[in-house]
Amino acid sequence: MAAPDPHQVADPEAVKRHPALFRAIRKRQNPRLRRTDITVTDDQAVKRAVKAASLGNAMEWFDFGIYSYLAVTIGHVFFPSGNDTTQLLSSFATFAVAFLVRPLGGMFFGPMGDKIGRKKVLALTMILMAVGTFAIGLIPSHGTIGVWAAVLLIAFRMLQGFSTGGEYGGASTFIAEYAPDKRRGFFGSFLEFGTLAGYVGAAGLVTALYALLDTAQMESWGWRIPFLVAGPLGLVGLYLRLKLDETPAFQKLEGGTAHATEAADHVESTAKGDLAKIFRQYWPTLILCIALVGAYNITDYMLLSYMPTYLSDELGYSETHGLLILLAVMVFLMVVISRFGKLSDRFGRKPLLMTGMLGFLFLSLPAFLLIRQGSIIAITIGMLMLGLSLVCMLGTMSAALPALFPTNVRYGSLSVGYNLSASIFGGTTPLVITALISWSGSNLMPAYYSMAAALIGVIAVACMKETANQPLAGSPPSVETAEEAAELVHAQSPDPKF
C-alpha cells in the first residue's frame, strides 16, 4: 500500500485500522533529535571566533572611515580644481568606486567560502584589504605624477572593494555558525561593535591629525598616516584569523558527509558553493536581503561616514567640530550595542529591526532640524536620535542576515546579497546626498533620503521570518552546555503511560 501524502489529512478510519503505520509516518515526518545531532559550543572558541571576526570588520571600516573623513583633503590632493564641490564629488565618486566592485568580490569569495571554508577566505580578504589600504598611503600626489595619481587611487580602492566583498558575509557567517542559538544576537552584535571601533579609530586619528597639523601639512603628508597604519593592523588580524578552527557547521559539510540521524535530515551535508544555484533557488530571499541591507546601509553610511563632511562642507563647521561630536556618539553606541544584541535574543530580531527603521522614518527630519541649529547640544541630541535608531539595527542585523540562508550557500548568498545592496545603496550614499543637496539647494536632503530608505526597510522587516532562538537553516541546534542538549532531547520524549 502506498504511503499517504503527508500534505493531506489522514482518513480517521484509516488511522484506526493501521495505527502502527501512521505512527511510523509521523515519526518519519517529525523525527526526534539524538544527543549527537546537537552542537555543544565551546565558550572560549566562540569568544576567539568573535574576536577575530570583529577585528577584521573593525579594520574594514577603519579603512573606509578614514577615506570618508579625509574626503575633503583627498579631493585637494588627487583632484585639483577651482571648484570645492567638484573636488568633493570626485572624492566621493572614488569612494563609491570601491562599492561598485564589491558584488564581484562577493560573487568570487562567497561561493569560495562555501567550498573551501570560511576561515581560509577570511584570511585572504584580510590580506588584500591591508595591501590595498597601505598602498593608498604611498601614492604620489596629483602635483607629482598628474592624472596617474587618481588612476592609482581608483585601482587600490577597487582592490579594497573587491576584498571587502568577502568580508562581511564571511565574518557574520563565522560568528553565527559558532554562536549558540539562544545567544546569537549577543555574539553577533560584536561584529558591529567592530564596525563602530573601526570608525572610532579612524575618526579619532583623523581628528588628532587635523588638530595637530595645518592644512598644508595635512595635504602634503599628514593624510597618509591613517592609511599606513592599516598595514600592521592587517597583520594582527591575519594572525588571529589563522589561529582559528573552522566553524562547527561547516565542519559537518566537509568531506561531503554529516554524521547525523534522521532527526537532522534537514541539515545540509554537502559543500557546493554554486553561484547559479544561489540566484536560481534563493532569489526571493536575496531580494529580501538586498532590501534590508539597503535600508540599513543608507542610514549607516549617512550617519557614520557622511555626517562629518555634511557638518563641515554644507553647514560650515570646522572638521574637528563634527568629528568630535560623532566620536562621542559612536563611543556611546559601542557601550550599548551588546545590550541591544541581548534584547534581540530575548524579544526577537523583528521588533528591534522594526524599531530602528521606524526611528529613522519618524525622527530623521526632527534630528536634522536640530543639527541645523548649530549649537553643540542641538547637534549632539540630533545625532543621538539617529544613533539610537541605528544601534537597533547594528545590534541585530549581523544575527538576522545569516539566518536567512541555509548553511551550504550561506556565505555565498549573504556575500552576494549584502554586496549588491551595499554597492547600489551604501557606498553611493555620500555621493547621492551631496548631488541632491547641490541640485535642490536644501541641506535637509539627508533626512529625506534616510526616510525613504527606512520606509523600504519597514516593508522588508514585515516580510521576514523571526529567527531568534532557532537553529540556523541547514544546521543542527547549537547549545552552550551538555545539560541543555540533554534537555532538548528529553523535551521530545513522550510522557510515559501507565
mmCIF file of all heavy atoms in Angstrom, residues 393-443:
data_model
loop_
_atom_site.group_PDB
_atom_site.id
_atom_site.type_symbol
_atom_site.label_atom_id
_atom_site.label_comp_id
_atom_site.label_asym_id
_atom_site.label_seq_id
_atom_site.Cartn_x
_atom_site.Cartn_y
_atom_site.Cartn_z
ATOM 1 N N MET A 393 19.495 48.480 14.713
ATOM 2 C CA MET A 393 19.826 47.638 13.550
ATOM 3 C C MET A 393 21.231 47.062 13.674
ATOM 4 O O MET A 393 21.464 45.893 13.355
ATOM 5 C CB MET A 393 19.680 48.454 12.274
ATOM 6 C CG MET A 393 18.251 48.861 11.986
ATOM 7 S SD MET A 393 18.056 49.693 10.403
ATOM 8 C CE MET A 393 18.439 51.382 10.838
ATOM 9 N N LEU A 394 22.174 47.876 14.128
ATOM 10 C CA LEU A 394 23.551 47.408 14.279
ATOM 11 C C LEU A 394 23.631 46.194 15.203
ATOM 12 O O LEU A 394 24.368 45.242 14.937
ATOM 13 C CB LEU A 394 24.430 48.523 14.837
ATOM 14 C CG LEU A 394 24.865 49.649 13.899
ATOM 15 C CD1 LEU A 394 25.611 50.718 14.684
ATOM 16 C CD2 LEU A 394 25.728 49.127 12.771
ATOM 17 N N GLY A 395 22.874 46.226 16.306
ATOM 18 C CA GLY A 395 22.946 45.155 17.281
ATOM 19 C C GLY A 395 22.202 43.906 16.880
ATOM 20 O O GLY A 395 22.288 42.887 17.572
ATOM 21 N N THR A 396 21.478 43.952 15.776
ATOM 22 C CA THR A 396 20.586 42.849 15.391
ATOM 23 C C THR A 396 20.902 42.270 14.024
ATOM 24 O O THR A 396 20.773 41.066 13.806
ATOM 25 C CB THR A 396 19.125 43.354 15.390
ATOM 26 O OG1 THR A 396 18.848 44.009 16.624
ATOM 27 C CG2 THR A 396 18.144 42.218 15.215
ATOM 28 N N MET A 397 21.309 43.112 13.071
ATOM 29 C CA MET A 397 21.413 42.703 11.676
ATOM 30 C C MET A 397 22.404 41.569 11.446
ATOM 31 O O MET A 397 22.160 40.667 10.631
ATOM 32 C CB MET A 397 21.792 43.910 10.816
ATOM 33 C CG MET A 397 21.499 43.734 9.340
ATOM 34 S SD MET A 397 19.741 43.652 8.934
ATOM 35 C CE MET A 397 19.277 45.377 9.001
ATOM 36 N N SER A 398 23.527 41.564 12.164
ATOM 37 C CA SER A 398 24.550 40.540 11.926
ATOM 38 C C SER A 398 24.111 39.165 12.403
ATOM 39 O O SER A 398 24.730 38.157 12.040
ATOM 40 C CB SER A 398 25.866 40.940 12.599
ATOM 41 O OG SER A 398 25.651 41.277 13.953
ATOM 42 N N ALA A 399 23.055 39.087 13.232
ATOM 43 C CA ALA A 399 22.471 37.797 13.591
ATOM 44 C C ALA A 399 21.294 37.459 12.687
ATOM 45 O O ALA A 399 21.040 36.286 12.404
ATOM 46 C CB ALA A 399 22.022 37.810 15.049
ATOM 47 N N ALA A 400 20.584 38.473 12.213
ATOM 48 C CA ALA A 400 19.395 38.245 11.384
ATOM 49 C C ALA A 400 19.749 37.834 9.959
ATOM 50 O O ALA A 400 19.114 36.931 9.393
ATOM 51 C CB ALA A 400 18.531 39.515 11.364
ATOM 52 N N LEU A 401 20.762 38.461 9.359
ATOM 53 C CA LEU A 401 21.064 38.204 7.947
ATOM 54 C C LEU A 401 21.569 36.787 7.678
ATOM 55 O O LEU A 401 21.095 36.138 6.735
ATOM 56 C CB LEU A 401 22.062 39.250 7.422
ATOM 57 C CG LEU A 401 21.541 40.686 7.332
ATOM 58 C CD1 LEU A 401 22.649 41.627 6.885
ATOM 59 C CD2 LEU A 401 20.361 40.772 6.364
ATOM 60 N N PRO A 402 22.537 36.242 8.463
ATOM 61 C CA PRO A 402 22.989 34.872 8.165
ATOM 62 C C PRO A 402 21.877 33.837 8.300
ATOM 63 O O PRO A 402 21.926 32.791 7.644
ATOM 64 C CB PRO A 402 24.092 34.621 9.210
ATOM 65 C CG PRO A 402 24.545 35.977 9.622
ATOM 66 C CD PRO A 402 23.327 36.841 9.541
ATOM 67 N N ALA A 403 20.878 34.107 9.141
ATOM 68 C CA ALA A 403 19.788 33.156 9.354
ATOM 69 C C ALA A 403 18.823 33.095 8.171
ATOM 70 O O ALA A 403 17.952 32.222 8.131
ATOM 71 C CB ALA A 403 19.028 33.518 10.629
ATOM 72 N N LEU A 404 18.977 33.981 7.199
ATOM 73 C CA LEU A 404 18.097 33.964 6.036
ATOM 74 C C LEU A 404 18.386 32.789 5.112
ATOM 75 O O LEU A 404 17.506 32.335 4.386
ATOM 76 C CB LEU A 404 18.244 35.270 5.235
ATOM 77 C CG LEU A 404 17.793 36.574 5.899
ATOM 78 C CD1 LEU A 404 18.132 37.763 4.999
ATOM 79 C CD2 LEU A 404 16.313 36.554 6.209
ATOM 80 N N PHE A 405 19.642 32.279 5.130
ATOM 81 C CA PHE A 405 20.076 31.293 4.132
ATOM 82 C C PHE A 405 20.561 30.007 4.799
ATOM 83 O O PHE A 405 21.090 30.045 5.908
ATOM 84 C CB PHE A 405 21.208 31.882 3.279
ATOM 85 C CG PHE A 405 20.849 33.152 2.566
ATOM 86 C CD1 PHE A 405 21.239 34.382 3.071
ATOM 87 C CD2 PHE A 405 20.109 33.121 1.398
ATOM 88 C CE1 PHE A 405 20.904 35.562 2.419
ATOM 89 C CE2 PHE A 405 19.761 34.295 0.735
ATOM 90 C CZ PHE A 405 20.165 35.522 1.243
ATOM 91 N N PRO A 406 20.437 28.858 4.109
ATOM 92 C CA PRO A 406 20.940 27.594 4.663
ATOM 93 C C PRO A 406 22.463 27.513 4.616
ATOM 94 O O PRO A 406 23.125 28.242 3.873
ATOM 95 C CB PRO A 406 20.300 26.529 3.764
ATOM 96 C CG PRO A 406 19.992 27.228 2.486
ATOM 97 C CD PRO A 406 19.686 28.660 2.853
ATOM 98 N N THR A 407 23.006 26.573 5.394
ATOM 99 C CA THR A 407 24.447 26.515 5.630
ATOM 100 C C THR A 407 25.268 26.354 4.353
ATOM 101 O O THR A 407 26.302 27.001 4.184
ATOM 102 C CB THR A 407 24.763 25.345 6.584
ATOM 103 O OG1 THR A 407 24.051 25.556 7.803
ATOM 104 C CG2 THR A 407 26.250 25.255 6.889
ATOM 105 N N ASN A 408 24.819 25.499 3.422
ATOM 106 C CA ASN A 408 25.671 25.183 2.275
ATOM 107 C C ASN A 408 25.778 26.321 1.263
ATOM 108 O O ASN A 408 26.633 26.287 0.380
ATOM 109 C CB ASN A 408 25.190 23.905 1.573
ATOM 110 C CG ASN A 408 23.847 24.081 0.896
ATOM 111 O OD1 ASN A 408 22.995 24.832 1.372
ATOM 112 N ND2 ASN A 408 23.639 23.394 -0.204
ATOM 113 N N VAL A 409 24.912 27.342 1.376
ATOM 114 C CA VAL A 409 25.028 28.508 0.487
ATOM 115 C C VAL A 409 25.038 29.807 1.286
ATOM 116 O O VAL A 409 24.870 30.887 0.717
ATOM 117 C CB VAL A 409 23.879 28.544 -0.555
ATOM 118 C CG1 VAL A 409 23.972 27.387 -1.528
ATOM 119 C CG2 VAL A 409 22.517 28.581 0.135
ATOM 120 N N ARG A 410 25.226 29.731 2.601
ATOM 121 C CA ARG A 410 25.086 30.912 3.456
ATOM 122 C C ARG A 410 26.131 31.977 3.118
ATOM 123 O O ARG A 410 25.798 33.159 2.939
ATOM 124 C CB ARG A 410 25.187 30.516 4.932
ATOM 125 C CG ARG A 410 25.044 31.716 5.888
ATOM 126 C CD ARG A 410 24.917 31.255 7.325
ATOM 127 N NE ARG A 410 23.719 30.458 7.508
ATOM 128 C CZ ARG A 410 23.713 29.204 7.954
ATOM 129 N NH1 ARG A 410 24.847 28.609 8.279
ATOM 130 N NH2 ARG A 410 22.590 28.551 8.081
ATOM 131 N N TYR A 411 27.401 31.595 3.085
ATOM 132 C CA TYR A 411 28.470 32.556 2.826
ATOM 133 C C TYR A 411 28.263 33.212 1.461
ATOM 134 O O TYR A 411 28.293 34.445 1.318
ATOM 135 C CB TYR A 411 29.821 31.828 2.887
ATOM 136 C CG TYR A 411 31.042 32.710 3.026
ATOM 137 C CD1 TYR A 411 32.187 32.223 3.665
ATOM 138 C CD2 TYR A 411 31.097 33.996 2.511
ATOM 139 C CE1 TYR A 411 33.332 33.003 3.799
ATOM 140 C CE2 TYR A 411 32.235 34.782 2.635
ATOM 141 C CZ TYR A 411 33.347 34.273 3.278
ATOM 142 O OH TYR A 411 34.478 35.043 3.403
ATOM 143 N N GLY A 412 28.013 32.384 0.438
ATOM 144 C CA GLY A 412 27.859 32.920 -0.913
ATOM 145 C C GLY A 412 26.628 33.792 -1.061
ATOM 146 O O GLY A 412 26.692 34.886 -1.614
ATOM 147 N N SER A 413 25.486 33.309 -0.561
ATOM 148 C CA SER A 413 24.237 34.064 -0.707
ATOM 149 C C SER A 413 24.300 35.399 0.020
ATOM 150 O O SER A 413 23.897 36.434 -0.518
ATOM 151 C CB SER A 413 23.061 33.245 -0.169
ATOM 152 O OG SER A 413 22.937 32.028 -0.855
ATOM 153 N N LEU A 414 24.792 35.373 1.262
ATOM 154 C CA LEU A 414 24.867 36.607 2.041
ATOM 155 C C LEU A 414 25.880 37.573 1.430
ATOM 156 O O LEU A 414 25.632 38.790 1.368
ATOM 157 C CB LEU A 414 25.240 36.286 3.493
ATOM 158 C CG LEU A 414 25.293 37.469 4.465
ATOM 159 C CD1 LEU A 414 24.017 38.292 4.397
ATOM 160 C CD2 LEU A 414 25.517 36.965 5.883
ATOM 161 N N SER A 415 27.009 37.067 0.936
ATOM 162 C CA SER A 415 28.006 37.936 0.301
ATOM 163 C C SER A 415 27.442 38.597 -0.949
ATOM 164 O O SER A 415 27.646 39.796 -1.189
ATOM 165 C CB SER A 415 29.263 37.132 -0.049
ATOM 166 O OG SER A 415 29.925 36.687 1.113
ATOM 167 N N VAL A 416 26.718 37.823 -1.761
ATOM 168 C CA VAL A 416 26.137 38.379 -2.986
ATOM 169 C C VAL A 416 25.063 39.403 -2.645
ATOM 170 O O VAL A 416 25.072 40.540 -3.136
ATOM 171 C CB VAL A 416 25.553 37.250 -3.864
ATOM 172 C CG1 VAL A 416 24.725 37.839 -5.005
ATOM 173 C CG2 VAL A 416 26.674 36.382 -4.425
ATOM 174 N N GLY A 417 24.101 39.022 -1.795
ATOM 175 C CA GLY A 417 23.001 39.927 -1.460
ATOM 176 C C GLY A 417 23.473 41.172 -0.750
ATOM 177 O O GLY A 417 23.063 42.299 -1.091
ATOM 178 N N TYR A 418 24.356 40.998 0.232
ATOM 179 C CA TYR A 418 24.842 42.140 1.009
ATOM 180 C C TYR A 418 25.597 43.120 0.119
ATOM 181 O O TYR A 418 25.388 44.338 0.187
ATOM 182 C CB TYR A 418 25.738 41.652 2.143
ATOM 183 C CG TYR A 418 26.171 42.745 3.094
ATOM 184 C CD1 TYR A 418 25.441 43.022 4.240
ATOM 185 C CD2 TYR A 418 27.288 43.524 2.842
ATOM 186 C CE1 TYR A 418 25.811 44.037 5.114
ATOM 187 C CE2 TYR A 418 27.672 44.548 3.697
ATOM 188 C CZ TYR A 418 26.935 44.788 4.830
ATOM 189 O OH TYR A 418 27.313 45.798 5.676
ATOM 190 N N ASN A 419 26.478 42.592 -0.724
ATOM 191 C CA ASN A 419 27.339 43.483 -1.503
ATOM 192 C C ASN A 419 26.646 44.106 -2.705
ATOM 193 O O ASN A 419 26.995 45.217 -3.109
ATOM 194 C CB ASN A 419 28.602 42.729 -1.926
ATOM 195 C CG ASN A 419 29.520 42.482 -0.753
ATOM 196 O OD1 ASN A 419 30.075 43.399 -0.173
ATOM 197 N ND2 ASN A 419 29.658 41.221 -0.359
ATOM 198 N N LEU A 420 25.666 43.409 -3.281
ATOM 199 C CA LEU A 420 24.857 44.060 -4.309
ATOM 200 C C LEU A 420 24.149 45.276 -3.720
ATOM 201 O O LEU A 420 24.127 46.354 -4.321
ATOM 202 C CB LEU A 420 23.826 43.071 -4.865
ATOM 203 C CG LEU A 420 24.279 42.134 -5.977
ATOM 204 C CD1 LEU A 420 23.191 41.110 -6.285
ATOM 205 C CD2 LEU A 420 24.642 42.908 -7.243
ATOM 206 N N SER A 421 23.581 45.093 -2.539
ATOM 207 C CA SER A 421 22.867 46.185 -1.889
ATOM 208 C C SER A 421 23.819 47.300 -1.451
ATOM 209 O O SER A 421 23.539 48.488 -1.629
ATOM 210 C CB SER A 421 22.093 45.650 -0.684
ATOM 211 O OG SER A 421 21.245 46.630 -0.153
ATOM 212 N N ALA A 422 24.959 46.894 -0.873
ATOM 213 C CA ALA A 422 25.936 47.891 -0.429
ATOM 214 C C ALA A 422 26.470 48.695 -1.612
ATOM 215 O O ALA A 422 26.723 49.892 -1.504
ATOM 216 C CB ALA A 422 27.088 47.205 0.305
ATOM 217 N N SER A 423 26.616 48.020 -2.757
ATOM 218 C CA SER A 423 27.114 48.690 -3.953
ATOM 219 C C SER A 423 26.120 49.721 -4.477
ATOM 220 O O SER A 423 26.474 50.857 -4.786
ATOM 221 C CB SER A 423 27.403 47.643 -5.036
ATOM 222 O OG SER A 423 27.730 48.268 -6.250
ATOM 223 N N ILE A 424 24.854 49.303 -4.541
ATOM 224 C CA ILE A 424 23.832 50.183 -5.119
ATOM 225 C C ILE A 424 23.458 51.316 -4.169
ATOM 226 O O ILE A 424 23.296 52.471 -4.581
ATOM 227 C CB ILE A 424 22.579 49.361 -5.480
ATOM 228 C CG1 ILE A 424 22.922 48.309 -6.542
ATOM 229 C CG2 ILE A 424 21.459 50.269 -5.991
ATOM 230 C CD1 ILE A 424 21.828 47.280 -6.758
ATOM 231 N N PHE A 425 23.342 50.992 -2.877
ATOM 232 C CA PHE A 425 22.783 51.952 -1.925
ATOM 233 C C PHE A 425 23.803 52.498 -0.924
ATOM 234 O O PHE A 425 23.796 53.692 -0.625
ATOM 235 C CB PHE A 425 21.623 51.308 -1.158
ATOM 236 C CG PHE A 425 20.533 50.797 -2.044
ATOM 237 C CD1 PHE A 425 20.323 49.435 -2.191
ATOM 238 C CD2 PHE A 425 19.726 51.680 -2.749
ATOM 239 C CE1 PHE A 425 19.308 48.963 -3.020
ATOM 240 C CE2 PHE A 425 18.713 51.210 -3.577
ATOM 241 C CZ PHE A 425 18.502 49.845 -3.711
ATOM 242 N N GLY A 426 24.662 51.629 -0.369
ATOM 243 C CA GLY A 426 25.526 52.056 0.726
ATOM 244 C C GLY A 426 26.634 53.003 0.317
ATOM 245 O O GLY A 426 26.687 54.158 0.752
ATOM 246 N N GLY A 427 27.532 52.525 -0.543
ATOM 247 C CA GLY A 427 28.695 53.324 -0.907
ATOM 248 C C GLY A 427 28.361 54.561 -1.702
ATOM 249 O O GLY A 427 29.140 55.522 -1.732
ATOM 250 N N THR A 428 27.195 54.559 -2.352
ATOM 251 C CA THR A 428 26.807 55.735 -3.140
ATOM 252 C C THR A 428 26.133 56.807 -2.286
ATOM 253 O O THR A 428 25.864 57.903 -2.788
ATOM 254 C CB THR A 428 25.837 55.327 -4.267
ATOM 255 O OG1 THR A 428 24.680 54.711 -3.678
ATOM 256 C CG2 THR A 428 26.487 54.337 -5.220
ATOM 257 N N THR A 429 25.865 56.507 -1.006
ATOM 258 C CA THR A 429 25.112 57.441 -0.162
ATOM 259 C C THR A 429 25.752 58.830 -0.086
ATOM 260 O O THR A 429 25.065 59.838 -0.321
ATOM 261 C CB THR A 429 24.919 56.845 1.252
ATOM 262 O OG1 THR A 429 24.109 55.679 1.155
ATOM 263 C CG2 THR A 429 24.246 57.846 2.180
ATOM 264 N N PRO A 430 27.057 58.961 0.254
ATOM 265 C CA PRO A 430 27.646 60.313 0.296
ATOM 266 C C PRO A 430 27.555 61.039 -1.035
ATOM 267 O O PRO A 430 27.259 62.242 -1.086
ATOM 268 C CB PRO A 430 29.109 60.054 0.703
ATOM 269 C CG PRO A 430 29.084 58.725 1.375
ATOM 270 C CD PRO A 430 28.048 57.935 0.655
ATOM 271 N N LEU A 431 27.805 60.292 -2.133
ATOM 272 C CA LEU A 431 27.765 60.900 -3.469
ATOM 273 C C LEU A 431 26.356 61.369 -3.810
ATOM 274 O O LEU A 431 26.152 62.498 -4.268
ATOM 275 C CB LEU A 431 28.254 59.886 -4.507
ATOM 276 C CG LEU A 431 28.241 60.322 -5.976
ATOM 277 C CD1 LEU A 431 29.235 61.445 -6.187
ATOM 278 C CD2 LEU A 431 28.558 59.135 -6.882
ATOM 279 N N VAL A 432 25.365 60.511 -3.559
ATOM 280 C CA VAL A 432 23.972 60.854 -3.888
ATOM 281 C C VAL A 432 23.491 62.035 -3.052
ATOM 282 O O VAL A 432 22.865 62.971 -3.582
ATOM 283 C CB VAL A 432 23.057 59.623 -3.676
ATOM 284 C CG1 VAL A 432 21.590 60.027 -3.769
ATOM 285 C CG2 VAL A 432 23.371 58.547 -4.711
ATOM 286 N N ILE A 433 23.782 62.026 -1.746
ATOM 287 C CA ILE A 433 23.316 63.122 -0.886
ATOM 288 C C ILE A 433 23.968 64.441 -1.288
ATOM 289 O O ILE A 433 23.303 65.481 -1.358
ATOM 290 C CB ILE A 433 23.600 62.799 0.600
ATOM 291 C CG1 ILE A 433 22.725 61.631 1.061
ATOM 292 C CG2 ILE A 433 23.325 64.019 1.470
ATOM 293 C CD1 ILE A 433 22.999 61.189 2.490
ATOM 294 N N THR A 434 25.283 64.404 -1.564
ATOM 295 C CA THR A 434 25.977 65.624 -1.995
ATOM 296 C C THR A 434 25.379 66.161 -3.285
ATOM 297 O O THR A 434 25.151 67.376 -3.437
ATOM 298 C CB THR A 434 27.481 65.350 -2.194
ATOM 299 O OG1 THR A 434 28.040 64.857 -0.971
ATOM 300 C CG2 THR A 434 28.228 66.606 -2.593
ATOM 301 N N ALA A 435 25.085 65.254 -4.232
ATOM 302 C CA ALA A 435 24.488 65.668 -5.504
ATOM 303 C C ALA A 435 23.077 66.205 -5.305
ATOM 304 O O ALA A 435 22.682 67.198 -5.935
ATOM 305 C CB ALA A 435 24.477 64.490 -6.477
ATOM 306 N N LEU A 436 22.292 65.581 -4.427
ATOM 307 C CA LEU A 436 20.918 66.032 -4.166
ATOM 308 C C LEU A 436 20.904 67.418 -3.535
ATOM 309 O O LEU A 436 20.065 68.264 -3.875
ATOM 310 C CB LEU A 436 20.197 65.028 -3.258
ATOM 311 C CG LEU A 436 19.745 63.716 -3.899
ATOM 312 C CD1 LEU A 436 19.197 62.764 -2.833
ATOM 313 C CD2 LEU A 436 18.691 63.965 -4.979
ATOM 314 N N ILE A 437 21.825 67.646 -2.601
ATOM 315 C CA ILE A 437 21.911 68.965 -1.972
ATOM 316 C C ILE A 437 22.287 70.021 -3.009
ATOM 317 O O ILE A 437 21.716 71.117 -3.058
ATOM 318 C CB ILE A 437 22.919 68.950 -0.808
ATOM 319 C CG1 ILE A 437 22.396 68.084 0.347
ATOM 320 C CG2 ILE A 437 23.191 70.368 -0.306
ATOM 321 C CD1 ILE A 437 23.392 67.881 1.471
ATOM 322 N N SER A 438 23.254 69.664 -3.875
ATOM 323 C CA SER A 438 23.685 70.594 -4.918
ATOM 324 C C SER A 438 22.544 70.887 -5.896
ATOM 325 O O SER A 438 22.355 72.025 -6.328
ATOM 326 C CB SER A 438 24.877 70.004 -5.674
ATOM 327 O OG SER A 438 25.295 70.854 -6.712
ATOM 328 N N TRP A 439 21.745 69.869 -6.214
ATOM 329 C CA TRP A 439 20.640 70.017 -7.174
ATOM 330 C C TRP A 439 19.466 70.790 -6.587
ATOM 331 O O TRP A 439 18.888 71.658 -7.235
ATOM 332 C CB TRP A 439 20.192 68.627 -7.624
ATOM 333 C CG TRP A 439 18.897 68.633 -8.379
ATOM 334 C CD1 TRP A 439 18.668 69.054 -9.660
ATOM 335 C CD2 TRP A 439 17.623 68.204 -7.865
ATOM 336 N NE1 TRP A 439 17.339 68.913 -9.983
ATOM 337 C CE2 TRP A 439 16.671 68.391 -8.902
ATOM 338 C CE3 TRP A 439 17.197 67.674 -6.650
ATOM 339 C CZ2 TRP A 439 15.329 68.063 -8.745
ATOM 340 C CZ3 TRP A 439 15.862 67.352 -6.495
ATOM 341 C CH2 TRP A 439 14.946 67.552 -7.526
ATOM 342 N N SER A 440 19.123 70.465 -5.321
ATOM 343 C CA SER A 440 17.920 71.036 -4.713
ATOM 344 C C SER A 440 18.182 72.323 -3.930
ATOM 345 O O SER A 440 17.275 73.141 -3.743
ATOM 346 C CB SER A 440 17.268 70.025 -3.776
ATOM 347 O OG SER A 440 18.097 69.793 -2.650
ATOM 348 N N GLY A 441 19.420 72.468 -3.455
ATOM 349 C CA GLY A 441 19.729 73.613 -2.613
ATOM 350 C C GLY A 441 19.259 73.456 -1.179
ATOM 351 O O GLY A 441 19.416 74.367 -0.359
ATOM 352 N N SER A 442 18.702 72.278 -0.835
ATOM 353 C CA SER A 442 18.194 72.027 0.519
ATOM 354 C C SER A 442 19.166 71.139 1.291
ATOM 355 O O SER A 442 19.502 70.048 0.840
ATOM 356 C CB SER A 442 16.826 71.342 0.458
ATOM 357 O OG SER A 442 16.430 70.903 1.749
ATOM 358 N N ASN A 443 19.609 71.607 2.474
ATOM 359 C CA ASN A 443 20.503 70.768 3.273
ATOM 360 C C ASN A 443 19.733 69.816 4.190
ATOM 361 O O ASN A 443 20.307 69.217 5.101
ATOM 362 C CB ASN A 443 21.494 71.618 4.077
ATOM 363 C CG ASN A 443 20.791 72.672 4.920
ATOM 364 O OD1 ASN A 443 19.624 72.525 5.277
ATOM 365 N ND2 ASN A 443 21.517 73.744 5.229
#
